[in-house]
């Protein structure tokens, strides 16, 4: 048993030494030299090169490690074979010793002890103890060496990490300095930009303040005060939107036979309301503006920089350079609707929200620009629109409206454009041939808000070839056609084109005289409703009288039926006669013929007369219901006629000052 333990200890010692030696060798190959640590102090480029070198060295070490692992594996296999051979040899010796021991045991059993067998065992045991002590001491020494190597390796790793952190901090500091420099440059550029904008803003504010001062100090013209007229128009609008529309709503919802534009009932009223309110807007716009009175009015709209104001200027000046023009720079686009009409002299006016006409000079008018007005918050509280007059024969009977357009970023500009454009007789839509597209939002506004003859002006055609202009026109035609917009005429125009190219279509526009007749249209509509209801009242009265006559006839029929019934009852009552007898009771008696007659009379009373009365009663009830319905219809129609009559009386009161 002790021999087996010794063998196992020896085998473990050999294997342990092999692994310890292999581990020490492997660990030794992985140490970092002082030169490598010093190399960390070099520049970033050298550090990167060293990193690549270390990576390559690492790969080599890994390769060597693999080779050493294979070599160690082979040595372990050889050692195992050697140990196995030694083990076999020892086992052989153990067997021999066992045989020897068995022999000694046998002798001992016989009382014969052989001391010679113990001596070798004692020597072997002492040798084994000594060898084990040496092995333990050596293992401890190896463990100390390994621990020391690990400490040294850890210290080197920490130092390497510290150098890496220092290098990273240096790079981060450099990046921070670069960012700060860039930020300083950006701040400087920003401050310069802000300073430039501030100077420009101060200039605009100064111009805006001067403009506002001139507007506030502007004097009213010698024109007649139109406050009373505006008040009368407002009263008429209240009547139209209130009592007139309420009356029509009641009539069209009550009487389905009433129609407007072939639409009956509520649909007819909705259509009528839409058209009448649109006609009122156009009438009121012209009525409030005496410079539009009896004149054909055209409006120019267009996208930003389409050139509409330049076209208006050519119309104003007739290519005469001495005529004052509207501002046309990119920063001075028309920001407020501007009316231009013929007159006895050149005048510059504006209309306030309170409908006062005030005059300004040409210099102030030319300061009107989008950038100046942008500085004035709530410009609509100062100016509704400008009014200019020119001593220009080409403007006789003509008024031109220049607008901000539909595509302005300012919603107030859009509202101003829509508010004034419906009063025009035609709409000239100006396109820049270089844009090549149609603004969809402008199309939507025209479809929704406007119902005017539309003329398209393709401007700046001198900047494109004829084939390219053809393509642009084809695109505009298709887009507008797909959207359901009808264009009466396409005009190609440019700064070099003859002025007649634009003036001929303008003079071809015919003024819509219906605007002047709007009050008469409303009056005739009320009269028409009164005539219709008057006829209906007459018909209802006839129907009521007819129902009354029918009831009278039924009453007469009823009286005749009751008389016939009374006669039959009276005759039947007279047939039985009272007879007195000596030897029997007194009683009513009748003959056989009299009994037959009585039975017939009773049958007539029970059937013929009763059914006739029932039929007459039902007929009477129906006639009464018809008479009541006819009376109700007559009362309702009279009430409806009275509503229309009241509407007419109110119309006469509200339009007294407008006629």
């Amino acid at each position: 048993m002790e021999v087996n333990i010794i063998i196992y200890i020896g085998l473990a010692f050999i294997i342990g030494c092999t692994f310890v030696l292999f581990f020490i060798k492997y660990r030794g190959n992985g140490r970092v030299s002082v030169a490598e640590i010093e190399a960390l102090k070099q520049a970033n480029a050298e550090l990167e090169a060293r990193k690549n070198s270390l990576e390559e060295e690492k790969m080599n070490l890994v390769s060597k490690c693999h080779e050493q692992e294979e070599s160690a594996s082979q040595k372990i296999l050889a050692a195992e074979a050697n140990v196995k051979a030694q083990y076999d040899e020892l086992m052989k010796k153990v067997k021999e010793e066992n045989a020897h021991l068995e022999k000694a045991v046998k002798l001992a059993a016989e009382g014969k002890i052989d001391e010679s067998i113990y001596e070798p065992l004692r020597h072997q045991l002492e040798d084994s103890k000594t060898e084990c002590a040496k092995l333990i001491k050596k293992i401890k020494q190896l463990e100390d060496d390994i621990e020391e190597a690990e400490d040294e390796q850890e210290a080197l790793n920490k130092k390497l990490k510290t150098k890496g952190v220092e290098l990273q901090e240096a790079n981060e500091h450099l990046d921070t300095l670069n960012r700060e420099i860039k930020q300083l440059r950006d701040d400087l550029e920003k401050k310069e930009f802000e300073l430039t904008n501030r100077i420009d803003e101060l200039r605009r504010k100064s111009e805006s303040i001067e403009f506002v001062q001139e507007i506030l100090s502007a004097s009213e013209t010698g024109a007649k005060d139109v406050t009373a007229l505006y008040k009368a128009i407002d009263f008429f609008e209240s009547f139209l939107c209130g009592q007139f529309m309420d009356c029509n709503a009641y009539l069209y919802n009550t009487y389905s036979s009433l129609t407007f534009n072939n639409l009956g009932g509520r649909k007819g009223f909705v259509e009528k309301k839409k058209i009448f309110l649109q006609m009122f807007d156009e009438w009121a716009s012209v009525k409030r503006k005496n410079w539009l009175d009896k004149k054909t009015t055209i409006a120019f709209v267009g996208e930003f920089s389409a050139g509409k104001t330049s076209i208006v200027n050519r119309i104003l000046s007739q290519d005469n350079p001495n005529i004052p023009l509207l501002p046309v720079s990119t920063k001075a686009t028309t920001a407020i609707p501007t009316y231009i009409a013929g007159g006895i002299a050149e005048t510059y006016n504006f209309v306030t929200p309170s409908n006062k006409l005030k005059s300004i000079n040409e210099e102030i008018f030319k300061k009107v620009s989008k950038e100046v007005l942008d500085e004035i918050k709530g410009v609509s509280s100062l100016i509704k629109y400008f009014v200019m007059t020119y001593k220009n024969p080409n403007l006789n009977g003509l008024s031109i409206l220049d607008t901000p357009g539909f595509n302005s970023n300012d919603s107030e500009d859009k509202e101003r454009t829509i508010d004034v454009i419906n009063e025009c007789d035609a709409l000239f839509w100006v396109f820049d041939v270089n844009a090549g597209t149609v603004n969809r939002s402008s199309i939507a506004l025209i479809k929704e808000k406007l119902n005017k003859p539309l003329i398209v002006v393709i401007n700046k055609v001198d900047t494109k070839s004829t084939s390219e202009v053809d393509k642009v026109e084809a695109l505009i035609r298709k887009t507008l056609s797909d959207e359901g917009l009808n264009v009466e005429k396409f005009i190609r125009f440019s700064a070099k084109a003859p002025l007649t190219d634009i003036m001929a279509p303008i003079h071809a526009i015919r003024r819509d005289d219906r605007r002047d007749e709007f009050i008469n249209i409303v009056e005739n509509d009320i009269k028409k409703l009164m005539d219709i209801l008057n006829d209906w009242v007459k018909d209802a009265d006839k129907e009521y009288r007819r129902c009354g006559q029918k009831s009278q006839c039924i009453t007469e029929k009823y009286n005749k039926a009751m008389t016939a019934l009374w006669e039959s009852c009276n005759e039947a009552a007279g047939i039985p006669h009272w007879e007195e007898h000596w030897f029997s009771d007194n009683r009513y008696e009748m003959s056989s013929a009299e009994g037959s007659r009585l039975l017939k009379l009773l049958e007539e009373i029970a059937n013929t007369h009763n059914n006739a009365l029932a039929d007459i009663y039902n007929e009477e009830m129906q006639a009464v219901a018809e008479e009541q319905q006819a009376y109700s219809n007559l009362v309702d129609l009279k009430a409806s006629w009275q509503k229309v009559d009241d509407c007419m009386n109110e119309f006469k009161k509200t339009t007294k000052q407008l006629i």
Side-chain angles (χ1 to χ4, degrees):
M1 188 64 181
E2 292 180 358
V3 174
N4 290 337
I5 293 173
I6 293 171
I7 292 172
Y8 292 147
I9 291 173
L11 181 60
F13 173 74
I14 293 171
I15 295 172
C17 288
T18 302
F19 277 105
V20 169
L21 291 174
F22 172 74
F23 179 75
I24 292 173
K25 184 176 181 182
Y26 176 76
R27 294 284 290 191
N29 290 337
R31 293 178 181 175
V32 181
S33 65
V34 177
E36 291 172 341
I37 295 175
E38 291 294 327
L40 293 174
K41 299 179 181 179
Q42 297 178 3
N44 290 338
E46 295 176 356
L47 181 61
E48 194 66 28
R50 182 56 183 165
K51 177 183 175 183
N52 295 333
S53 175
L54 289 174
E55 289 290 338
E56 184 178 356
E57 184 178 354
K58 177 181 176 181
M59 295 298 294
N60 293 334
L61 289 175
V62 170
S63 177
K64 289 180 181 181
C65 181
H66 289 163
E67 292 176 359
Q68 289 177 358
E69 284 179 355
E70 292 179 0
S71 175
S73 298
Q74 292 176 0
K75 288 180 180 180
I76 289 171
L77 292 174
E80 288 178 350
N82 185 29
V83 169
K84 188 174 184 303
Q86 292 179 3
Y87 174 75
D88 293 338
E89 182 66 26
L90 288 172
M91 289 300 294
K92 182 178 179 182
K93 290 181 179 180
V94 167
K95 289 179 179 179
E96 291 177 355
E97 289 296 332
N98 284 339
H100 185 67
L101 287 172
E102 287 177 358
K103 181 178 178 181
V105 170
K106 187 177 180 181
L107 290 174
E110 294 176 354
K112 299 177 181 179
I113 298 175
D114 187 359
E115 294 291 338
S116 61
I117 62 175
Y118 292 105
E119 191 62 28
L121 292 175
R122 290 192 186 96
H123 289 300
Q124 289 179 5
L125 182 59
E126 291 295 332
D127 292 340
S128 296
K129 289 181 178 179
T130 303
E131 189 66 25
C132 284
K134 290 180 180 181
L135 289 174
I136 291 170
K137 184 177 181 181
K138 193 170 184 178
I139 288 171
K140 186 176 181 182
Q141 182 63 39
L142 289 173
E143 289 177 348
D144 293 340
D145 291 342
I146 291 171
E147 185 176 356
E148 182 179 353
E150 289 177 347
D151 293 341
E152 184 179 355
Q153 179 69 26
E154 183 178 358
L156 290 174
N157 288 337
K158 288 181 179 179
K159 197 168 186 179
L160 180 62
K161 185 177 181 181
T162 301
K163 295 299 180 181
V165 170
E166 292 176 356
L167 179 61
Q168 183 179 358
E169 290 176 351
N171 289 333
E172 290 176 352
H173 183 63
L174 180 61
D175 292 340
T176 301
L177 291 176
N178 289 332
R179 286 195 298 270
E180 290 177 354
I181 292 172
K182 184 177 182 302
Q183 183 63 42
L184 288 173
R185 289 174 179 171
D186 292 342
D187 291 343
L188 180 60
E189 292 177 359
K190 184 178 179 180
K191 293 298 182 183
E192 291 176 349
F193 180 75
E194 289 177 353
L195 180 60
T196 302
N197 286 344
R198 185 59 179 168
I199 294 172
D200 191 43
E201 181 182 354
L202 290 174
R203 177 188 59 79
R204 293 196 306 270
K205 285 186 180 298
S206 176
E207 294 177 358
S208 301
I209 291 171
E210 183 180 355
F211 174 76
V212 171
Q213 288 174 342
E214 293 290 343
I215 292 297
L216 293 176
S217 61
S219 59
E220 291 187 38
T221 64
K224 181 181 178 181
D225 189 359
V226 293
T227 303
L229 174 63
Y230 276 62
K231 185 179 291 187
I233 293 173
D234 291 340
F235 281 145
F236 181 57
E237 181 180 13
S238 298
F239 159 76
L240 187 73
C241 297
Q243 187 173 355
F244 178 78
M245 288 302 168
D246 291 343
C247 181
N248 275 271
Y250 170 78
L251 295 176
Y252 279 85
N253 289 329
T254 304
Y255 307 109
S256 59
S257 57
L258 274 179
T259 61
F260 185 84
N261 286 353
N262 298 321
L263 295 174
R266 178 165 180 78
K267 290 184 178 178
F269 167 70
V270 171
E271 179 70 11
K272 185 175 184 178
K273 181 178 181 180
K274 172 185 172 185
I275 291 178
F276 269 63
L277 291 182
Q278 180 178 334
M279 292 172 65
F280 169 79
D281 289 339
E282 297 175 8
W283 169 84
S285 295
V286 174
K287 196 71 176 176
R288 289 186 176 107
K289 302 165 186 173
N290 57 357
W291 58 89
L292 298 180
D293 193 22
K294 309 300 182 183
K295 292 182 179 180
T296 301
T297 306
I298 62 172
F300 281 89
V301 297
E303 312 302 323
F304 181 76
S305 297
K308 54 185 173 58
T309 304
S310 297
I311 295 175
V312 173
N313 278 335
R314 286 198 66 189
I315 296 172
L316 298 182
S317 67
Q318 299 293 302
D319 294 334
N320 182 349
N322 297 321
I323 298 296
L325 303 177
L326 300 175
V328 294
S329 67
T330 56
K331 289 186 178 181
T333 58
T334 305
I336 292 177
T338 303
Y339 292 93
I340 306 102
I344 59 176
E346 294 169 6
T347 63
Y348 300 89
N349 306 287
F350 68 91
V351 177
T352 68
S354 59
N355 301 311
K356 300 289 185 181
L357 186 66
K358 296 187 175 184
S359 62
I360 53 176
N361 58 41
E362 179 184 347
E363 182 182 355
I364 295 300
F365 176 76
K366 287 189 174 181
K367 289 183 179 180
V368 179
S369 66
K370 185 65 176 173
E371 63 175 5
V372 169
L373 293 178
D374 283 343
E375 297 294 329
I376 307 171
K377 301 304 179 183
V379 67
S380 58
S381 64
L382 297 175
I383 303 171
K384 285 178 69 175
Y385 30 77
F386 288 107
V387 181
M388 299 170 55
T389 60
Y390 283 84
K391 189 178 181 180
N392 188 329
N394 291 286
L395 294 176
N396 290 340
L398 181 66
S399 181
I400 299 174
L401 172 61
D402 192 15
T403 69
F406 296 125
N407 67 320
S408 171
N409 292 326
D410 190 342
S411 60
E412 194 175 5
D413 286 352
K414 291 182 182 179
E415 291 174 4
R416 290 195 195 101
T417 300
I418 295 168
D419 285 344
V420 298
I421 219 168
N422 271 316
E423 68 196 19
C424 299
D425 296 296
L427 182 65
F428 283 70
W429 193 356
V430 182
F431 289 89
D432 184 348
V433 72
N434 297 289
T437 58
V438 183
N439 189 292
R440 296 286 178 178
S441 62
S442 298
I443 292 177
L445 280 171
I446 287 178
K447 288 178 65 177
E448 179 185 1
K449 304 288 186 181
L450 304 177
N451 185 22
K452 296 293 177 182
L454 181 62
I455 298 167
V456 169
V457 180
I458 303 176
N459 197 22
K460 306 177 185 179
V461 295
D462 56 336
T463 62
K464 293 281 188 181
S465 65
T466 303
S467 60
E468 290 177 314
V469 175
D470 291 340
K471 291 179 181 178
V472 173
E473 181 176 334
L475 174 62
I476 296 174
R477 283 180 180 270
K478 183 178 184 307
T479 303
L480 298 183
S481 176
D482 291 344
E483 294 290 340
L485 286 176
N486 179 44
V487 179
E488 294 197 355
K489 188 177 183 62
F490 280 81
I491 302 172
R492 298 185 179 187
F493 197 68
S494 70
K496 300 178 181 178
L499 192 57
T500 53
D501 288 356
I502 195 72
M503 291 304 300
I506 289 175
H507 289 310
I509 301 298
R510 290 292 173 260
R511 184 172 182 271
D512 187 359
D513 295 328
R514 292 179 303 171
R515 292 196 294 264
D516 301 331
E517 301 297 325
F518 179 65
I519 291 181
N520 294 333
I521 291 173
V522 175
E523 183 179 17
N524 291 334
D525 184 77
I526 298 174
K527 287 180 178 179
K528 181 180 177 182
L529 289 175
M530 289 186 69
D531 291 341
I532 291 173
L533 285 168
N534 194 39
D535 292 339
W536 287 356
V537 167
K538 290 179 180 179
D539 292 341
D541 186 64
K542 289 179 181 179
E543 177 65 16
Y544 175 64
R545 293 178 183 278
R546 186 191 67 78
C547 290
Q549 291 173 357
K550 183 178 179 181
S551 295
Q552 184 64 34
C553 292
I554 294 173
T555 301
E556 292 175 359
K557 186 189 292 187
Y558 174 77
N559 291 335
K560 289 180 180 180
M562 288 299 295
T563 301
L565 176 61
W566 180 83
E567 290 175 351
S568 295
C569 290
N570 192 45
E571 183 182 354
I575 290 176
H577 46 87
W578 182 259
E579 295 290 342
E580 295 181 356
H581 298 278
W582 291 95
F583 301 102
S584 61
D585 295 334
N586 297 331
R587 56 184 178 272
Y588 283 100
E589 295 179 355
M590 69 185 76
S591 65
S592 175
E594 290 174 336
S596 297
R597 178 60 182 162
L598 178 61
L599 289 175
K600 186 177 180 180
L601 288 172
L602 291 176
E603 185 178 355
E604 287 179 357
I605 292 170
N607 294 320
T608 304
H609 293 299
N610 186 52
N611 290 338
L613 286 172
D615 291 341
I616 293 172
Y617 175 79
N618 291 333
E619 190 176 354
E620 177 71 13
M621 290 299 100
Q622 183 177 354
V624 169
E626 290 177 358
E627 186 176 8
Q628 289 176 346
Q629 183 62 48
Y631 179 75
S632 177
N633 292 340
L634 177 60
V635 171
D636 290 343
L637 285 168
K638 285 183 176 180
S640 298
W641 181 90
Q642 189 61 50
K643 285 180 180 289
V644 180
D645 186 61
D646 293 341
C647 192
M648 174 61 80
N649 292 331
E650 186 65 23
F651 167 81
K652 290 178 179 179
K653 281 199 296 185
T654 56
T655 58
K656 185 180 295 184
Q657 295 180 349
L658 296 174
I659 298 175

